[in-house]
Amino acid sequence: MSKTYTTSQGDTWDIIALRQMGSEKYMSLIIEANSKFNQVVVFPAGIALVIPAVPVATATTLPPWKR
């Protein structure tokens, strides 16, 4: 389930991903969910962003019937 995050002055995509989702690697998911802001590098305060749910990792070493 997604949630909403309101930016603080100076927030960047990677900082938001780290604080809200636990890792900078989720930055692209947040950008995709907020495509109208994809040109913003450093956010001003007060922008409401959608934060998607963190994808659940599945073990790739398990056979398909055990996933």
Side-chain angles (χ1 to χ4, degrees):
M1 183 183 328
S2 63
K3 59 183 178 178
T4 303
Y5 171 74
T6 304
T7 62
S8 298
Q9 178 67 35
D11 277 350
T12 58
W13 293 109
D14 57 335
I15 290 172
I16 295 168
L18 178 62
R19 291 180 182 160
Q20 297 298 310
M21 299 178 80
S23 175
E24 299 93 341
K25 70 181 183 179
Y26 299 122
M27 181 177 80
S28 61
L29 295 176
I30 299 174
I31 293 171
E32 288 174 19
N34 299 279
S35 61
K36 74 178 191 178
F37 299 110
N38 66 359
Q39 297 298 314
V40 177
V41 177
V42 179
F43 284 94
I47 304 294
L49 298 176
V50 174
I51 307 297
V54 177
V56 177
T58 57
T60 57
T61 58
L62 293 175
W65 61 89
K66 289 191 175 184
R67 293 184 198 164

